[in-house]
Amino acid sequence: MSKLDKRLCPCGSNIIYKKCCKPLHKGLYARNALSLMRSRYSAYALKEINYIIATIHPDNKQYQEHKQKWKSELREYCNSVSFDGLKIIEFVDGKKEAIVEFVAIIDAKEYQERSLFKKEKRWLYYGIE
Ligand SMILES: [Zn+2]
């Protein structure tokens, strides 16, 4: 196992990365919106740019048609801040829509958000509720 595989997953699960978000970053679909939310946070922390893009709903205002430009913007953002932790406040599950409220710690500052997720072929981040 690589060093990264053995370290605790950045999503705050207290599980090693290999057994937590890595399978999702490598192609497995998240079983629910909470798992997707966690894996998107750890994707930012680990610069899994393709995963960030693959799990955002096309109706989200961040969505860009020009993928190369979007990727470089995301990479620049991920390189410029530190992802210091994630706390889940609430998870409201549903068949086609779900809500996750969380506090993301970025550059030691807390950002609280209530996010909406929608299930198409897979769970996707739709936007702020
Ligand atoms: Zn994780």
Side-chain angles (χ1 to χ4, degrees), residues 103-115:
V103 174
I105 304 156
I106 299 166
D107 277 344
K109 286 194 227 52
E110 294 194 345
Y111 297 91
Q112 190 157 347
E113 184 180 314
R114 204 170 160 84
S115 293

Side-chain angles (χ1 to χ4, degrees), residues 9-13 17 20-21 38-39 42:
C9 189
C11 79
S13 59
Y17 175 61
C20 188
C21 294
R38 287 185 171 285
S39 65
S42 58

